[in-house]
Amino acid sequence: MKVKHLLSAADLSREDAIAVLDTAREMAAMAGREVKKLPTLRGRTVVNLFYEDSTRTRISFEAAAKRLSADVINFSAKGSSVSKGESLKDTALTLQAMGADAVVVRHPAAGAPHRLAGWVDGSVLNAGDGTHEHPTQALLDAYTIRSRHGRIEGLKVAIVGDVLHSRVARSNVHLLHTLGAHVTLVAPPTLLPVGVHAWPADVSYELDAVLPGVDVVMMLRVQRERMTDSFFPSEREYSRRYGLDLDRLRGLPSHAIVMHPGPMNRGVEISPEVADSARSTIVEQVANGVSVRMAVLYLLLGGAP
Ligand code: NCD
């Protein structure tokens, strides 16, 4: 891989992205074996630096690093000297002194992983920075789409909901565009960022007009914790216009899949019946996350190609 860090999905060339997806497939094949561990990163140290809550992403990076036999240090801002006001830079220098080969960072500020990359010698992996990017989520989503549909090129993907606050949407738009898919963002005008028309994606306000033509529908969580304003009249109104329920599911092409990065607001952006239906890949996405993160760690920390 040509890059040292994974800060943005936009940093990945088509070749790099495909190398990650191909390597992840090999890693997934290994997960079926009795002994799931590879010795590849023995003696290397991976630090998980989490300044924001996380369930899936943190556990997934930890499992990935451990399956590659790396030593893993988990750092969460709660209970650390960060609550005493220690800066990101001082925390970074501490990690540097401990000899971290890779730092996986989640931070509420957009750009924090980028700053960190200037302070440590190891590779920095962005595990979500504010509303900016979440590149490994986009890679695991691409992996899931490819394993269900056999390809990504030429597919029609709708990304629906709170695009404004979503780092998942940003990273997915970049990566899916690089891989040749056609993306349509669907949201109320209040939940679309300024400048969205410059993104390599179409924009629609009408979910029902878009759904009949899609191969993939990716629902986004309504991110209440990032909302400083009132962006829609009520949750009920939001889910009536932009929620995926059984009626809308029936209107999808029969081969279309339903995705969600989690955590879900069941009953808001997605109904429980849809989340648990055979068309949903939500649990598969989590499982694929481990293989994809193994691939990324392996490729960034010196594996071929
Ligand atoms: C996302 C995140 O934290 O950015 N979740 C995840 O990583 N699986 C999306 C979200 O919080 O809605």
Tab-separated table of all heavy atoms in Angstrom, residues 56-57 106 134 137 167-168 221 223 261-263, ligand 1:
chain	number	residue	atom	x	y	z
A	56	ARG	N	-18.720	-1.055	18.550
A	56	ARG	CA	-18.259	-1.877	17.436
A	56	ARG	C	-16.831	-1.576	17.000
A	56	ARG	O	-15.997	-2.468	16.878
A	56	ARG	CB	-19.152	-1.657	16.200
A	56	ARG	CG	-20.384	-2.467	16.161
A	56	ARG	CD	-21.415	-1.734	15.320
A	56	ARG	NE	-21.995	-0.708	16.154
A	56	ARG	CZ	-23.088	-0.881	16.864
A	56	ARG	NH1	-23.747	-1.980	16.777
A	56	ARG	NH2	-23.535	0.062	17.653
A	57	THR	N	-16.547	-0.301	16.734
A	57	THR	CA	-15.264	0.040	16.129
A	57	THR	C	-14.097	-0.306	17.065
A	57	THR	O	-13.100	-0.874	16.646
A	57	THR	CB	-15.234	1.535	15.743
A	57	THR	OG1	-16.388	1.797	14.939
A	57	THR	CG2	-13.996	1.892	14.962
A	106	ARG	N	-10.052	7.667	17.651
A	106	ARG	CA	-11.391	8.233	17.465
A	106	ARG	C	-11.457	9.495	18.313
A	106	ARG	O	-11.085	9.487	19.483
A	106	ARG	CB	-12.475	7.255	17.902
A	106	ARG	CG	-13.836	7.921	17.974
A	106	ARG	CD	-14.963	6.955	18.101
A	106	ARG	NE	-15.215	6.248	16.859
A	106	ARG	CZ	-16.340	5.588	16.588
A	106	ARG	NH1	-17.299	5.540	17.483
A	106	ARG	NH2	-16.496	4.975	15.438
A	134	HIS	N	-14.592	8.325	8.438
A	134	HIS	CA	-14.530	7.037	9.140
A	134	HIS	C	-14.152	5.983	8.082
A	134	HIS	O	-14.971	5.162	7.685
A	134	HIS	CB	-15.907	6.760	9.759
A	134	HIS	CG	-15.949	5.647	10.750
A	134	HIS	ND1	-14.866	4.828	11.022
A	134	HIS	CD2	-16.966	5.203	11.544
A	134	HIS	CE1	-15.236	3.943	11.939
A	134	HIS	NE2	-16.493	4.149	12.271
A	137	GLN	N	-14.885	2.169	8.248
A	137	GLN	CA	-16.308	1.832	8.103
A	137	GLN	C	-16.656	1.754	6.615
A	137	GLN	O	-17.349	0.825	6.178
A	137	GLN	CB	-17.181	2.885	8.801
A	137	GLN	CG	-18.676	2.636	8.674
A	137	GLN	CD	-19.168	1.442	9.484
A	137	GLN	OE1	-18.749	1.241	10.618
A	137	GLN	NE2	-20.055	0.630	8.910
A	167	ARG	N	-19.894	11.012	9.450
A	167	ARG	CA	-18.573	10.699	8.888
A	167	ARG	C	-18.642	9.424	8.048
A	167	ARG	O	-17.851	9.221	7.143
A	167	ARG	CB	-17.574	10.533	10.026
A	167	ARG	CG	-18.033	9.573	11.123
A	167	ARG	CD	-17.237	9.831	12.375
A	167	ARG	NE	-17.624	8.974	13.479
A	167	ARG	CZ	-17.368	9.273	14.746
A	167	ARG	NH1	-16.776	10.401	15.058
A	167	ARG	NH2	-17.701	8.440	15.705
A	168	VAL	N	-19.621	8.560	8.355
A	168	VAL	CA	-19.799	7.333	7.578
A	168	VAL	C	-20.200	7.700	6.138
A	168	VAL	O	-19.675	7.140	5.176
A	168	VAL	CB	-20.869	6.427	8.230
A	168	VAL	CG1	-21.165	5.218	7.356
A	168	VAL	CG2	-20.425	5.990	9.629
A	221	ARG	N	-27.690	6.705	11.068
A	221	ARG	CA	-28.284	7.024	12.362
A	221	ARG	C	-28.575	8.525	12.460
A	221	ARG	O	-27.761	9.349	12.016
A	221	ARG	CB	-27.307	6.633	13.481
A	221	ARG	CG	-27.840	6.844	14.887
A	221	ARG	CD	-26.888	6.234	15.893
A	221	ARG	NE	-25.602	6.924	15.908
A	221	ARG	CZ	-25.319	7.971	16.663
A	221	ARG	NH1	-26.233	8.461	17.477
A	221	ARG	NH2	-24.129	8.526	16.627
A	223	GLN	N	-28.132	11.456	14.389
A	223	GLN	CA	-27.110	11.673	15.428
A	223	GLN	C	-27.506	12.797	16.376
A	223	GLN	O	-27.007	13.917	16.282
A	223	GLN	CB	-25.747	11.961	14.771
A	223	GLN	CG	-25.352	10.847	13.822
A	223	GLN	CD	-23.850	10.744	13.614
A	223	GLN	OE1	-23.041	11.425	14.221
A	223	GLN	NE2	-23.466	9.844	12.718
A	261	PRO	N	-24.643	1.281	9.695
A	261	PRO	CA	-23.361	1.096	10.386
A	261	PRO	C	-23.525	0.764	11.875
A	261	PRO	O	-22.570	0.306	12.511
A	261	PRO	CB	-22.669	2.458	10.227
A	261	PRO	CG	-23.783	3.438	10.064
A	261	PRO	CD	-24.878	2.697	9.339
A	262	GLY	N	-24.712	0.998	12.425
A	262	GLY	CA	-24.902	0.857	13.868
A	262	GLY	C	-24.186	1.998	14.578
A	262	GLY	O	-23.260	2.566	14.018
A	263	PRO	N	-24.580	2.372	15.771
A	263	PRO	CA	-25.764	1.874	16.475
A	263	PRO	C	-27.053	2.407	15.856
A	263	PRO	O	-27.060	3.517	15.322
A	263	PRO	CB	-25.570	2.446	17.894
A	263	PRO	CG	-24.673	3.641	17.725
A	263	PRO	CD	-23.828	3.382	16.534
B	1	NCD	C1	-20.721	5.206	13.363
B	1	NCD	C2	-19.774	6.193	13.991
B	1	NCD	O1	-19.493	6.140	15.169
B	1	NCD	O2	-19.333	7.010	13.230
B	1	NCD	N1	-20.799	3.979	13.966
B	1	NCD	C3	-19.809	3.065	13.780
B	1	NCD	O3	-18.635	3.365	13.791
B	1	NCD	N2	-20.195	1.798	13.549
B	1	NCD	C4	-21.996	5.775	13.002
B	1	NCD	C5	-22.846	6.386	14.066
B	1	NCD	O4	-22.413	6.655	15.168
B	1	NCD	O5	-24.002	6.638	13.727
